[in-house]
Amino acid sequence: MTTTTTTTTNVAFDTTDLNTVIGTEVHGVNTMDLDDAGIEAISQLAAERGVVFFRDQVMSLTEQVELGRRFGELHVHPAAAGPDGFPEVLTIHTDENSTYTAGNGWHTDVSCDARPPGLSMLRLEQTPPAGGDTLWASMYEAYDTLSPSLQQYLLTLTAVHSGEQPYRGRYRAEDRATEF
């Protein structure tokens, strides 16, 4: 693991890379206290490491939305309404009686949209005593570990990324131009 200290205009924080490929945990910072240079440093870290973790951040839903806006324009999920007053928020709730869990299985958040979000913020309010793990993977690393001949072959292909199966009939009328 690599540990680094970053200092911005008014905030210093430490980071620990969780492995050599993806994921860095940030320590010693309240995300609500980040100045513009701190937001830029976290944005750069997310671009380089793919996933950035902050533990024990206490914030309201309003504060989380405000923090998200500091990273750029917020995405409104076209197939799921947010809680009242928060169209940018996608609530995922699962309990012992749930027969379906949103996002269960490998996926990239709404990457099939015409303008997918560059970042996603996941905040866990309740976790089960066991399980409930979220896994992350680097598609850059997956591609880089392919043989050169397979990489060259893939460059000749065209792919269509569709959300037809999970989102069929669920897009709002104003988003139908991007419907599958």
Side-chain angles (χ1 to χ4, degrees):
M1 289 190 194
T2 304
T3 300
T4 308
T5 299
T6 301
T7 304
T8 67
T9 329
N10 71 346
V11 177
F13 54 87
D14 295 323
T15 60
T16 302
D17 292 344
L18 300 177
N19 62 52
T20 59
V21 176
I22 187 173
T24 297
E25 186 171 346
V26 178
H27 312 278
V29 66
N30 179 338
T31 53
M32 300 308 297
D33 294 337
L34 289 170
D35 59 9
D36 290 344
I39 293 292
E40 181 58 35
I42 297 301
S43 293
Q44 184 63 39
L45 185 62
E48 292 170 3
R49 298 291 299 157
V51 182
V52 178
F53 300 93
F54 297 87
R55 293 188 187 274
D56 304 318
Q57 299 296 303
V58 178
M59 66 182 77
S60 68
L61 198 52
T62 299
E63 290 170 325
Q64 183 179 1
V65 168
E66 289 170 2
L67 176 63
R69 283 195 179 107
R70 295 190 64 204
F71 288 95
E73 181 182 348
L74 297 182
H75 178 270
V76 175
H77 198 291
D84 286 343
F86 297 99
E88 316 89 341
V89 173
L90 175 65
T91 301
I92 300 171
H93 174 83
T94 304
D95 62 27
E96 65 277 0
N97 300 314
S98 298
T99 58
Y100 171 77
T101 301
N104 195 17
W106 287 107
H107 69 282
T108 301
D109 292 346
V110 288
S111 56
C112 55
D113 279 11
R115 288 188 54 210
L119 296 170
S120 292
M121 294 175 65
L122 176 62
R123 181 177 91 185
L124 302 176
E125 293 185 358
Q126 285 185 297
T127 58
D133 298 324
T134 297
L135 303 176
W136 313 93
S138 169
M139 295 299 99
Y140 297 110
E141 182 70 10
Y143 178 82
D144 289 346
T145 58
L146 297 173
S147 69
S149 60
L150 185 52
Q151 288 178 355
Q152 286 302 309
Y153 171 70
L154 291 175
L155 291 175
T156 69
L157 302 177
T158 301
V160 175
H161 186 176
S162 172
E164 168 64 18
Q165 182 183 6
Y167 299 137
R168 180 177 294 140
R170 294 181 59 206
Y171 268 53
R172 298 179 309 233
E174 63 267 23
D175 293 312
R176 295 222 188 268
T178 61
E179 193 166 1
F180 318 96

